[in-house]
Amino acid sequence: MTRTVLIPTSLAREAGDMRMATRKIGYIARAATIFKVDRIGIFPDPDGAGDLGEEFVSTILGYAVTPPHLRKEMWGQRPELAYAGVLPPLRASPQAGSGSEDLESLRQGIVTQIRPDGCVWVICGMQNPISLIVPPNMDVALGQRVSVRVSSENPVRARLLPEPPQGIIVETVDIESALNRKDAGLKIATSRYGDPISISGLNGILKRVENEGMTVAFGAPGRGLPTILGFDPERSLKQKKDCFGFDCWINTIPNQASETVRTEEAMMASLSILSLQK
């Protein structure tokens, strides 16, 4: 089941500078990796984004979730990546290379050359690009991400897989379209004005998440989801009206002792609860 997280372009609005904003976004990627999120959707908040808006957030997130051995090839040098060195390592297990005890490893690669003999050159973390046979009925394009199964590095034994590569997809979306996806699953909005999460109310949510997947939306510091979506939370949520297509509004940090909860903190708290086993 698909697990999607929605975050606003105003995510970094209160970061003091580009370095702090980069680190903050890195924690978003880290939380998504820890809790096996499949997709991160970045939705617009034009009134609150500031100087480090959609392009900056999407670039840093996209770079962060790209396997390290593909980053240079895919992203090159961009102004937004000036402080990419402060990003925390994700160490995502599906992207890891083979260890000493592993018989095979699954890696992401990128196609750098297509040959007329049905082979392609692929960068996938080896010392040099490797030549692989394209499976029947598989279309490849220059620059395409692919899945590579490596059984030996010395000598090199690897094969190209027709399945799409594993990893987190980062894309810009609008909330309405994201909630209308066939694989949206249980549509959850997080807000301090939502229903406080409780043990008794959690079983139903966890069951639906397990069976359907989920899409969870978060606000930004000082600009919660109701503010971004433009309605009065005190009136609308209490009357269960105008909930913008979500199945539920929940408060995963009831009785919070801070005036605001940062998006990366809310993600850690919310996804840890939503990942509990029944």
Side-chain angles (χ1 to χ4, degrees), residues 30 33 68 88-96:
R30 179 90 177 141
T33 301
L90 302 189
R91 301 195 184 280
S93 54
Q95 299 171 356

Side-chain angles (χ1 to χ4, degrees), residues 69-114:
H69 62 273
L70 298 181
R71 287 174 174 173
K72 182 178 180 180
E73 186 72 25
M74 291 194 63
W75 295 95
Q77 294 183 342
R78 303 190 185 195
E80 296 91 347
L81 299 173
Y83 296 101
V86 305
L87 289 169
L90 302 189
R91 301 195 184 280
S93 54
Q95 299 171 356
S98 58
S100 59
E101 298 180 357
D102 292 335
L103 296 178
E104 291 190 339
S105 67
L106 179 63
R107 305 186 183 190
Q108 286 194 40
I110 185 169
V111 176
T112 60
Q113 184 180 347
I114 301 175

Side-chain angles (χ1 to χ4, degrees), residues 1-4 39 171 175-187 208 211-215 247:
M1 297 298 153
T2 303
R3 299 165 70 90
T4 300
R39 183 185 298 113
E171 57 188 4
I175 287 188
E176 189 171 1
S177 297
L179 296 181
N180 286 329
R181 290 180 61 104
K182 291 182 179 180
D183 61 353
L186 181 64
K187 293 165 279 193
R208 289 194 61 182
N211 293 333
E212 304 172 25
M214 65 181 184
T215 296
D247 295 315

